[in-house]
Amino acid sequence: KNEVEQSPQNLTAQEGEFITINCSYSVGISALHWLQQHPGGGIVSLFMLSSGKKKHGRLIATINIQEKHSSLHITASHPRDSAVYICAVKNFGNEKLTFGTGTRLTIIP
Amino acid sequence: NAGVTQTPKFQVLKTGQSMTLQCAQDMNHEYMSWYRQDPGMGLRLIHYSVGAGITDQGEVPNGYNVSRSTTEDFPLRLLSAAPSQTSVYFCASSPGAPGSPLHFGNGTRLTVT
């Protein structure tokens, strides 16, 4: 079973700060997902990565396959970015995902 | 385009009762899955399906049944509810291609007393 660790568990920052959330996993994977869970509970897919880097607006996701590590960055953070960010990995050879416990991000105006 | 629709949003059951959580998607996705989310734990896979007529167990399948008679629908049945099944349940779908993004329903908050 793949172990997925996220850090930090909680993060509070001022509006405008650069945010980094980390995800490490123990076994090689075929893909990694970053998800955002809003305070109301809904879950939205942000990125799916198998290598390299992806950017969407102020969000950037990177993955280092050799180091089994991914980061999610938020530039010019805003209070609307306040949410729980979840990392999930897909193992080779099956359709099952293993999820991290999430990072709760709070951006203060 | 409705995406993934879960019903009901809230449900309270007594121990021993049975019920079905509904999940429907209108995106013609092959892959559908059910997760439960408990405080302090990551989402955990209950059951999943890679296409109509095909289902398989996830990490925590005990006490739950699923079927996939159509591409659109993937209901989750609680056979005899137990307090340990109090949780928030999410249904998700994806096109099925390797590494496709996931689309989640809005969740069902279930309380078993």
Side-chain angles (χ1 to χ4, degrees):
Chain A
K1 182 181 185 308
N2 215 335
E3 302 295 332
V4 180
E5 301 273 347
Q6 285 187 239
S7 63
Q9 287 187 312
N10 294 283
L11 178 57
T12 300
Q14 295 285 343
E15 182 174 356
E17 286 190 38
F18 181 81
I19 303 299
T20 296
I21 298 170
N22 298 298
C23 176
S24 297
Y25 48 93
S26 58
V27 179
I29 61 172
S30 62
L32 181 143
H33 295 261
W34 280 105
L35 309 169
Q36 180 191 53
Q37 185 167 27
H38 296 287
I43 301 175
V44 175
S45 178
L46 298 176
F47 294 105
M48 188 285 301
L49 293 163
S50 55
S51 65
K53 174 180 174 178
K54 286 191 176 180
K55 184 176 189 292
H56 185 255
R58 295 180 294 106
L59 273 58
I60 302 165
T62 64
I63 188 168
N64 185 318
I65 297 296
Q66 287 72 30
E67 295 189 3
K68 298 186 177 62
H69 180 268
S70 176
S71 293
L72 177 68
H73 305 285
I74 304 174
T75 62
S77 59
H78 189 277
R80 65 174 175 266
D81 298 325
S82 298
V84 176
Y85 292 85
I86 301 169
C87 167
V89 300
K90 182 174 177 297
N91 297 329
F92 286 111
N94 65 64
E95 295 296 322
K96 300 178 184 180
L97 290 175
T98 304
F99 291 78
T101 55
T103 294
R104 184 175 300 276
L105 174 66
T106 304
I107 303 297
I108 299 170
Chain B
N1 196 347
V4 179
T5 302
Q6 273 186 249
T7 55
K9 290 187 179 180
F10 301 95
Q11 183 71 50
V12 179
L13 292 178
K14 294 187 188 311
T15 297
Q17 287 184 317
S18 62
M19 79 157 295
T20 299
L21 307 185
Q22 301 291 346
C23 177
Q25 52 90 10
D26 61 0
M27 298 172 282
N28 202 31
H29 286 173
E30 291 295 325
Y31 180 80
M32 297 185 74
S33 50
W34 276 102
Y35 301 90
R36 58 178 290 172
Q37 186 176 41
D38 300 295
M41 304 183 75
L43 286 151
R44 292 183 292 167
L45 180 65
I46 303 171
H47 285 285
Y48 68 101
S49 169
V50 297
I54 306 168
T55 64
D56 205 349
Q57 296 182 348
E59 186 183 349
V60 288
N62 292 340
Y64 308 95
N65 272 358
V66 291
S67 60
R68 185 91 181 272
S69 56
T70 66
T71 299
E72 294 77 22
D73 299 297
F74 191 44
L76 178 72
R77 296 183 187 83
L78 279 70
L79 308 173
S80 177
S84 61
Q85 293 179 305
T86 293
S87 188
V88 181
Y89 291 84
F90 288 94
C91 177
S93 74
S94 74
S100 303
L102 290 169
H103 299 257
F104 283 85
N106 287 330
T108 296
R109 186 174 293 275
L110 175 68
T111 302
V112 183
T113 61

